[in-house]
Each structure stands twice: as structure tokens, then as C-alpha cells.
Amino acid sequence: MFFSRIRSIFTTYSKEDKRLIASIKMMVGSKPLNLRPYRVAVQHTSVAKSVKKGFKESNERLEYLGDAVLGMVVAEYLFKKYPFKDEGFLTEVRSRIVSRDSLNRVARAIGIPDIVKFDRRRKTPNSHKSLYGNTLEAMVGAILIDRGYNFARKFVLKKLLVPHYDIDEILATTKNYKSKLIEWTQKHAKTPKFEHLQTIDKGHFKEFIMQVTVDEEPIAKGHGLSKKKAEQDAAREACIKLEIE
Amino acid sequence: MFFSRIRSIFTTYSKEDKRLIASIKMMVGSKPLNLRPYRVAVQHTSVAKSVKKGFKESNERLEYLGDAVLGMVVAEYLFKKYPFKDEGFLTEVRSRIVSRDSLNRVARAIGIPDIVKFDRRRKTPNSHKSLYGNTLEAMVGAILIDRGYNFARKFVLKKLLVPHYDIDEILATTKNYKSKLIEWTQKHAKTPKFEHLQTIDKGHFKEFIMQVTVDEEPIAKGHGLSKKKAEQDAAREACIKLEIE
């Protein structure tokens, strides 16, 4: 990092680079130590140039890296925030946070459209659907390369997650597994049934075990503090087993 | 961490805990600062107890966390090791490194079977297929909670990836996209064709562009330093577009 700082003092930047540095400072909170990964991060594959041996340098590699960083940071954040929620819940909430729609929305909010470079002539209805979100992922990858994991983690938490997500709203709108299962059974002319199997007395509280059957065949069991919660849990398991999206 | 050390000095451990501490020291290289997450990590859901409000404490939450750590560490490792490979290659190699088979194999090699606790009576041919690999993921999650990301990263690299994987062998056996595509077309009574579209003179080297068609319809293009590599690249793109597993 020391040498990066020295290098940045002696480098003269083009007008375009200076604009990029200013944008990164706005987004990240401080100037880049090494501009190179950010230059690549804003370069969509439609304007990528071959740099070596038939290898085109676009932001897709950095996108792959940034995707891993986001997955890791959000996984840890949710794990610690919800100590009594199971991995199904954590997985579901995480997938909503890093969904294409969410990332596109956040990318627009932090100004990604102003810095990404792509070939506007090649624009088709589908090819640029995730352009901004993907570039945001690539930016996160560039931050990892430039500053390391701890810095990238703070960026994700403080500049993306906290200001741009309403976790309560995400929870409120997270899919209802029971309705998903019922919809599916209706579509396939099958009959679902929820049965109360057992109530376990835990002293201070009771745990309920519910089973869901489809056309009399037992599919999954669920447990929870109320019958309703146990039903949701059983329905979630059933959705996984029956591969209901 | 300081308080964790103090705490560990004044805690008296059961025989079982002492055995677990010794095993962790063998695997990780040093004793845990906080034993709690490791105790949870070795607890398969078949022996999980309800701890609160219908919430069962098994290793599945830690498995979710460890999976994210492995994904992140391996992503960064491959990104840096292969600067001129595209994201398709990186994704493919990573998925082979963290596959169920690989993780089960490594888990056995580092001694996970000796420490995992599960209900042997409930053993069925399928339910424990990934038991060891899943527990390894949970152990990685426990290390993250106990020691933080940088320590967990070093564990993954130095104790799992370097000693237990032969990356060259993984590369050599990584699926051949061209054969996959040809197999698929045979199964569906279709005809694939590879066409050379263009050779670009890059001065020191040439880049080849190949196109693959299925029943005369252009599906994907690929580029590479040789026609063979460009074909593979086109076939990989085609496998993605045609959703060939």
C-alpha cells in the first residue's frame, strides 16, 4: 500500500481518469490507491479490448469476485443479526439482498450509470438488463483488489447495505412458503394438507411439529413456536423437496 | 480476543470438550479462543436440541456461513492465480473445489469423522451423504466466528486448499465443453457445426474467432489463441445458452 501511494503521487492522470477518481471518492469515501482495477470494473464486455492471447479484459472477472465478496459480507451480517433464524431464512433474505433487481437499484442510487462504459449501439432490450448491478459487483471486486477484504467489507456494510436497504421491508415481503405450496398444488391438481403431529413441552415454551402431505403422501415436517410457524417451516421444506421456485 | 483468552484460562472443560479442543488444535494449528461455535459446528441436525422458541441449534447455520467463506477465499485465490482466465473458467474450477465430493474427501482427510456428532440410528443411504463435507463447512464458519476473516482465510488456503487439492489435476479433468455440447446435440437429434469466422492479427500473436451453430442456427461465438481454444470457448457459451448441465 505504501508503494501504491507513492505511485499515485507521481502518476499523471488523463481527464477521464480524474473523473473516475472523483466518482470513486464519492462512492467509497476515499481515493483509490491503485486505479487499475477500477478502470477495468467500469468496462463492460461490449467495449472490452483484447489485451493478451485472445483474452478480453472486461469487468466480468471482477464481477465474479465482487459477487463472492457480497455473498460473504451479507452472509456474516445476517448470521450475526439473526442468531435464532435458520439457514433457510438466512439464504432467502441474502438472495433478496443480492438479487439482480436490488443491485441494479442500488447501483443507480450510488451513481454507477455515470461511470460505466459500454457500447450503446449494441444495446438490445435484454443484454443490458443487469448492466448497472453487474458493474456494482465489479466495483466491489475492484475495492477488494485495491484495499483488501476488511475495507471492502466496510464499504458493503456502510455504503450499500445500511443506507440502501430496508431489511424490515425485505422480511415483510419475503415469500410466504405456504401460499407458494398451495398455489403449486392447485396448478397440478393436487391436495395439500397440514397436520399437527406433536406438541413438545419445553418448560418455558412449547414447540409444535407440523407435517405437510400432498395427496396423502407425507412430504415434509416443520417445527416452530406456534402452529403457524411450524406450518411455514414445513411448507419451506416441502418447496425445496418438490423443487417449487 | 484478550477476554476470550482470559476466559479460556478460567474455564474447566469436560472430557468431551478437551477432546474437541485437541482435535481443533490438530486441524487448525492452534487452540480455539472460544469453544462455543466449534461445539455447534460438530452437532449434526439429527442430534440438535431446541435451545429457544422452537429454534434447534444444529450446525446448519454455521454451514451456510462457512460455505460463504469458502466461496470467497477460493474466488480470490483463483482470480489472482489465473489473471488471464475468464469468469466462466474461474466459476467452473471453484465449483469443483467446493463440490460435495471434494469437501467430503477433504473432511475425511483432516479428521472430521472423529469429531462430528450425529444420530447413527437415523442413518439412511441418502441422509448422511454430505455429512462430513457439511461439517467441514460448519467448522470454517466456526473459525470465522472465533477468529475473524483473515484467520479463516489462511486456514482455508494453508490447511485445505494447498495440501489437499491438486489444481493441475482439476484443470485437466475439468469438463470438456465441446464434447458436452456434441453429446447433447446427439441426444436431441440436432447437428452442431463449428465455423471459423475470423483471424485477428495482434502482431505478436493471432486471435481466432469461432462460431458454433446448431441446426444451422448461430448459438455462440468464442475466441482464443488457437482454433481449438476458440471452439472450447464457443462451446462453453453454447452450453450456458442452451442450459446444458
Side-chain angles (χ1 to χ4, degrees):
Chain A
M1 277 200 189
F2 174 72
F3 288 105
S4 301
R5 278 193 202 277
I6 293 292
R7 184 172 56 204
S8 72
I9 291 168
F10 291 105
T11 310
T12 45
Y13 289 112
S14 70
K15 219 169 179 176
E16 201 181 347
D17 278 347
K18 281 183 189 159
R19 254 195 56 194
L20 180 59
I21 292 170
S23 301
I24 292 164
K25 205 187 158 189
M26 281 278 290
M27 274 178 211
V28 178
S30 57
K31 285 188 186 174
L33 300 180
N34 173 10
L35 191 59
R36 225 192 90 60
Y38 301 94
R39 280 199 198 111
V40 178
V42 297
Q43 188 155 290
H44 182 251
T45 179
S46 59
V47 293
K49 290 156 210 142
S50 277
V51 287
K52 188 177 169 172
K53 298 182 184 176
F55 170 75
K56 281 172 84 180
E57 184 155 64
S58 78
N59 64 3
E60 291 179 346
R61 278 168 47 86
L62 282 168
E63 189 190 318
Y64 149 90
L65 190 61
D67 174 74
V69 177
L70 281 165
M72 170 69 226
V73 175
V74 176
E76 188 189 6
Y77 172 82
L78 295 174
F79 183 93
K80 289 180 173 169
K81 190 175 168 81
Y82 300 104
F84 298 109
K85 292 286 190 177
D86 68 20
E87 68 293 348
F89 170 90
L90 302 175
T91 302
E92 178 76 21
V93 175
R94 179 172 64 165
S95 78
R96 298 213 35 203
I97 290 175
V98 300
S99 73
R100 185 165 69 185
D101 285 352
S102 298
L103 292 180
N104 275 331
R105 178 180 60 77
V106 176
R108 282 172 204 273
I110 68 167
I112 292 288
D114 302 333
I115 55 171
V116 62
K117 294 191 279 183
F118 63 101
D119 186 344
R120 281 158 211 275
R121 289 165 308 170
R122 285 206 240 166
K123 193 164 180 170
T124 61
N126 273 320
S127 67
H128 291 72
K129 254 203 305 204
S130 337
L131 174 68
Y132 299 140
N134 291 348
T135 306
L136 173 56
E137 286 184 322
M139 281 294 288
V140 173
I143 294 169
L144 180 86
I145 295 300
D146 183 28
R147 302 285 203 133
Y149 179 76
N150 290 329
F151 191 99
R153 178 174 171 271
K154 275 184 205 143
F155 169 76
V156 172
L157 293 176
K158 294 194 177 167
K159 304 287 182 179
L160 305 181
L161 203 55
V162 172
H164 294 289
Y165 285 90
D166 181 343
I167 300 276
D168 290 332
E169 200 209 308
I170 290 177
L171 296 193
T173 57
T174 288
K175 281 159 208 153
N176 180 324
Y177 291 105
K178 196 176 165 185
S179 3
K180 262 164 64 175
L181 177 65
I182 290 172
E183 237 170 68
W184 181 87
T185 53
Q186 283 169 346
K187 205 168 130 194
H188 292 78
K190 290 171 187 289
T191 311
K193 210 163 76 191
F194 287 88
E195 298 166 339
H196 174 221
L197 285 189
Q198 205 186 346
T199 304
I200 304 165
D201 194 339
K202 296 274 179 186
H204 294 300
F205 59 91
K206 281 184 179 129
E207 189 186 32
F208 297 88
I209 313 283
M210 299 291 293
Q211 176 171 263
V212 57
T213 62
V214 172
D215 285 356
E216 313 275 298
E217 194 195 329
I219 304 293
K221 289 177 191 170
H223 54 91
L225 188 62
S226 67
K227 284 189 186 173
K228 210 179 141 192
K229 281 183 184 165
E231 274 184 4
Q232 274 294 334
D233 192 43
R236 185 176 59 72
E237 272 293 313
C239 285
I240 294 168
K241 284 196 182 157
L242 300 170
E243 296 180 359
I244 301 171
E245 279 297 318
Chain B
M1 278 200 185
F2 175 73
F3 288 106
S4 301
R5 279 193 201 277
I6 294 291
R7 185 172 57 203
S8 73
I9 292 168
F10 290 103
T11 310
T12 46
Y13 290 113
S14 69
K15 220 169 179 176
E16 201 181 346
D17 278 346
K18 281 183 188 158
R19 252 196 57 195
L20 181 58
I21 291 170
S23 300
I24 292 164
K25 204 186 159 188
M26 282 279 289
M27 274 179 212
V28 178
S30 57
K31 285 187 187 174
L33 301 181
N34 173 10
L35 191 59
R36 225 193 90 60
Y38 301 94
R39 281 200 197 110
V40 178
V42 297
Q43 188 154 290
H44 182 251
T45 179
S46 60
V47 292
K49 290 156 210 141
S50 277
V51 286
K52 188 179 167 169
K53 298 183 182 175
F55 170 76
K56 280 172 85 179
E57 185 155 63
S58 78
N59 64 4
E60 291 180 346
R61 277 168 48 86
L62 281 168
E63 189 190 318
Y64 149 89
L65 190 62
D67 174 74
V69 177
L70 281 165
M72 171 69 226
V73 174
V74 176
E76 188 189 5
Y77 172 82
L78 295 174
F79 183 93
K80 290 179 172 169
K81 190 175 167 82
Y82 299 104
F84 298 109
K85 292 286 190 178
D86 69 20
E87 68 292 348
F89 170 90
L90 302 175
T91 303
E92 178 76 22
V93 175
R94 180 172 64 165
S95 78
R96 298 210 38 201
I97 291 175
V98 299
S99 73
R100 185 163 70 187
D101 285 352
S102 298
L103 292 180
N104 276 333
R105 177 180 60 75
V106 175
R108 281 172 204 275
I110 68 167
I112 293 287
D114 301 333
I115 55 171
V116 61
K117 294 192 279 182
F118 63 101
D119 186 346
R120 280 158 212 276
R121 289 165 307 169
R122 285 207 240 166
K123 193 166 180 168
T124 60
N126 272 321
S127 68
H128 291 70
K129 254 203 305 202
S130 336
L131 174 69
Y132 300 140
N134 291 347
T135 305
L136 174 56
E137 287 184 321
M139 280 295 287
V140 173
I143 293 170
L144 180 85
I145 294 299
D146 183 28
R147 300 287 203 133
Y149 180 76
N150 291 328
F151 191 99
R153 177 173 171 273
K154 274 184 205 141
F155 170 76
V156 172
L157 293 176
K158 295 192 178 167
K159 304 288 182 178
L160 305 181
L161 204 54
V162 172
H164 295 289
Y165 285 90
D166 181 342
I167 300 275
D168 290 333
E169 199 210 308
I170 289 178
L171 296 193
T173 57
T174 287
K175 282 159 208 153
N176 181 324
Y177 291 104
K178 197 176 165 185
S179 6
K180 261 164 65 175
L181 177 66
I182 290 171
E183 237 169 67
W184 181 88
T185 53
Q186 283 169 347
K187 205 170 130 193
H188 292 80
K190 290 173 189 289
T191 311
K193 210 163 76 192
F194 288 88
E195 297 165 338
H196 174 223
L197 286 189
Q198 205 185 347
T199 303
I200 303 165
D201 194 338
K202 296 275 181 186
H204 295 299
F205 59 91
K206 282 186 179 125
E207 189 188 31
F208 298 88
I209 314 283
M210 298 293 292
Q211 175 170 265
V212 57
T213 61
V214 172
D215 284 356
E216 311 278 296
E217 194 195 331
I219 304 293
K221 287 178 192 170
H223 53 92
L225 189 62
S226 66
K227 284 188 185 174
K228 209 178 144 192
K229 281 184 183 164
E231 274 185 4
Q232 274 294 333
D233 191 43
R236 185 178 57 73
E237 271 294 312
C239 285
I240 294 168
K241 284 196 182 156
L242 300 170
E243 295 180 358
I244 302 169
E245 278 297 317

